[in-house]
Amino acid sequence: MVSIKGLSRIVQSNIGLSKPRQKCLSAMIMGIVQARTVNLKRVCQSCACGGLASSWYRRMQRFFAEVDFDFEKVAKYLLSLFTDPNEKICLTMDRTNWQYGSKDINILMVGAVYKGIAIPIVWEILDK
């Protein structure tokens, strides 16, 4: 399995973040894979990166609150993982709506289809 350091190098060379942010994102990715959920509390418990789970939980919350991704870099990297440059790409577009308390959350997402699975590459949170 890929180590957090190895994953951090991949993140740095393809997405570009500061070293602490690279480590946090890499730990989240590893934790999501190990926990098989995106629930941050469970991700932090299965994250084998040292420190208290409560500290990692707060760190991951700050990551989402403070980090702005260059979505063009993320999309290019994700496409490079799953497609051949000479191959045609089938794109999907979907909008989903959730309610969190009394607040509506609308997300418009574009994905690339790979072996029958749509992999999100670009998304926008709509304010409607």
Side-chain angles (χ1 to χ4, degrees):
M1 188 167 197
V2 176
S3 70
I4 289 178
K5 285 183 181 181
L7 193 50
S8 288
R9 282 192 298 273
I10 294 168
V11 168
Q12 192 278 328
S13 63
N14 293 287
I15 298 171
L17 293 170
S18 68
K19 285 198 184 251
R21 298 293 189 203
Q22 291 169 25
K23 183 177 180 183
C24 186
L25 179 59
S26 300
M28 276 192 282
I29 292 168
M30 299 289 285
I32 289 168
V33 170
Q34 291 170 358
R36 302 176 96 182
T37 181
V38 293
N39 179 303
L40 281 186
K41 287 195 179 200
R42 291 188 185 153
V43 168
C44 294
Q45 291 169 349
S46 63
C47 189
C49 37
L52 297 172
S54 59
S55 299
W56 274 99
Y57 181 73
R58 184 65 191 122
R59 186 175 183 181
M60 290 178 188
Q61 285 179 317
R62 283 193 310 270
F63 180 91
F64 286 114
E66 298 169 3
V67 173
D68 287 322
F69 283 105
D70 180 343
F71 285 106
E72 187 175 335
K73 282 184 181 179
V74 173
K76 284 180 182 178
Y77 177 62
L78 289 173
L79 283 173
S80 75
L81 289 175
F82 300 105
T83 61
D84 180 337
N86 302 320
E87 185 181 339
K88 287 186 179 181
I89 300 169
C90 181
L91 298 176
T92 62
M93 185 175 358
D94 187 30
R95 185 192 63 83
T96 186
N97 177 41
W98 299 306
Q99 279 202 312
Y100 185 73
S102 62
K103 181 177 170 111
D104 282 322
I105 300 171
N106 287 291
I107 302 174
L108 180 65
M109 193 167 301
V110 174
V113 178
Y114 176 74
K115 294 186 179 180
I117 299 170
I119 299 157
I121 55 172
V122 180
W123 52 91
E124 179 75 28
I125 297 176
L126 305 173
D127 43 330
K128 294 185 176 189

